[in-house]
Amino acid sequence: MNNTFFSIIQWKKIVYFILILFLFKFCFLCGYSFKTTLSFFDLGLLSISSALLLASGYLISFFYRNQQKKSKISIPLEKVKINSSYLLILGVSVGFILSFKIHKPWYGLIFILCPIAVILYSKNNPIKNFFSGIITSFLKPFAVLSLWWFDFPTNLSPSQWNLFFKLQMVTMLYVLISFLGNISREIIVDIINTNEDNIHNQKTLPILLGRKRAKNIALALSIITWVLIFSIAITFIKNRFIFSTIILLGNIPQLYYIYLLINASDIKNYKFLYTVNQFIFLLALASIPVVGYYFKHVIE
């Protein structure tokens, strides 16, 4: 039962999310003499609150979706609901502690409004569809933007504002690339689960349009992502270090992913694609310290 519970809350994604927050904090905010709102301890509180609320959200979504299913599941829905409530209360509480600690109690409203939105959406949209995949894909990169909002630097000099603006642009590019990659990955997951989703009357893209058209949409998004990454690499072509980093950690893996996607024809291929996608995500994480080093030691 514990294994089922941890699979529902998708703990690996939550761990990745926390790692991303600390990477962006360490690489893009620390070391530039920026005076920011959050200390690393405060970021820890933000991460704990966010992780608890994310876990609660996954359980809430699982609860409402499985109410519509007739098949038996390995964990009682009532227990899912109770655990979700506990995690939600803990998450909101930690969020309020953080808000008062940084002397911005009104931030506590965020930790209340977000769970309410998740509950209302899950309750009114119990059937999985393409739109729910887009929302899920958007929430993960949006969480990184929330870090900038919580930890926005103050009292910056003109030169620091210029550097901070560039760091924000880099972050926006990461967010956009992550968003497109997440949608493509969600489509691949839906293709893998097409038969099961069809049994439960889910309205995912492969069911509505067919696997081939869903694959073509994922392919188009992947190509757009590759073009975007390559365009970024071109802007740094005069700097061999950063240009090579983007090509090696971004363009080449993405090109390999596109090649596999073009030739994918069965579930086994798509499962391998999902694994490759996870590896590309890890390479993207590895690029964050490299880009941070570039801005700190080259641009400065």
Side-chain angles (χ1 to χ4, degrees), residues 93 102 106 123 143 171 181 207 209 211 214 229 253 258 265-266 288:
S93 300
I102 62 177
W106 55 91
K123 185 176 182 179
T171 303
I207 293 175
L209 301 180
R211 289 178 178 175
I229 296 172
I258 291 172
S265 58
D266 55 33
I288 295 176

Side-chain angles (χ1 to χ4, degrees), residues 238-297:
K238 293 182 179 180
N239 185 288
R240 293 182 180 179
F241 175 76
I242 200 69
F243 176 78
S244 301
T245 298
I246 296 174
I247 293 297
L248 291 174
L249 298 182
N251 274 109
I252 293 178
Q254 185 67 20
L255 191 61
Y256 178 59
Y257 178 80
I258 291 172
Y259 168 78
L260 292 176
L261 184 54
I262 291 174
N263 292 283
S265 58
D266 55 33
I267 298 300
K268 184 178 179 180
N269 296 147
Y270 288 112
K271 287 183 177 180
F272 181 66
L273 260 176
Y274 181 79
T275 302
V276 171
N277 189 284
Q278 295 293 93
F279 180 70
I280 292 175
F281 176 76
L282 291 176
L283 290 178
L285 288 183
S287 71
I288 295 176
V290 176
V291 174
Y293 172 87
Y294 172 79
F295 276 95
K296 179 172 175 57
H297 296 285

Side-chain angles (χ1 to χ4, degrees), residues 76-253:
L77 284 180
E78 190 61 31
K79 188 169 184 178
V80 171
K81 184 178 181 180
I82 292 173
N83 288 334
S84 173
S85 300
Y86 287 153
L87 292 173
L88 191 151
I89 293 172
L90 286 173
V92 171
S93 300
V94 175
F96 266 98
I97 291 173
L98 171 64
S99 301
F100 280 94
K101 185 179 182 301
I102 62 177
H103 308 293
K104 294 184 178 180
W106 55 91
Y107 278 15
L109 292 175
I110 300 173
F111 299 98
I112 294 179
L113 294 177
C114 287
I116 290 176
V118 171
I119 292 172
L120 291 176
Y121 178 81
S122 299
K123 185 176 182 179
N124 293 303
N125 297 275
I127 298 177
K128 184 181 179 182
N129 52 52
F130 179 59
F131 185 67
S132 64
I134 292 179
I135 292 179
T136 303
S137 300
F138 175 74
L139 287 177
K140 298 166 188 174
F142 176 75
V144 176
L145 292 181
S146 68
L147 173 62
W148 290 102
W149 186 57
F150 266 88
D151 209 19
F152 199 88
T154 58
N155 302 322
L156 299 181
S157 65
S159 61
Q160 287 178 322
W161 270 116
N162 182 52
L163 175 60
F164 182 64
F165 176 77
K166 292 178 180 178
L167 291 172
Q168 283 182 305
M169 291 300 100
V170 171
T171 303
M172 289 298 296
L173 290 172
Y174 267 105
V175 167
L176 178 58
I177 292 171
S178 176
F179 176 57
L180 294 174
N182 285 339
I183 295 179
S184 178
R185 182 170 62 249
E186 289 297 324
I187 294 174
I188 297 302
V189 171
D190 289 338
I191 291 176
I192 294 172
N193 298 327
T194 299
N195 292 336
E196 181 181 352
D197 289 339
N198 193 35
I199 292 174
H200 299 300
N201 297 316
Q202 308 294 348
K203 303 299 181 182
T204 60
L205 201 63
I207 293 175
L208 295 175
L209 301 180
R211 289 178 178 175
K212 186 174 181 179
R213 289 180 179 176
K215 168 188 170 179
N216 290 336
I217 292 175
L219 179 61
L221 291 172
S222 300
I223 293 174
I224 293 173
T225 302
W226 183 89
V227 171
L228 182 60
I229 296 172
F230 186 71
S231 300
I232 297 171
I234 290 298
T235 61
F236 292 102
I237 195 169
K238 293 182 179 180
N239 185 288
R240 293 182 180 179
F241 175 76
I242 200 69
F243 176 78
S244 301
T245 298
I246 296 174
I247 293 297
L248 291 174
L249 298 182
N251 274 109
I252 293 178

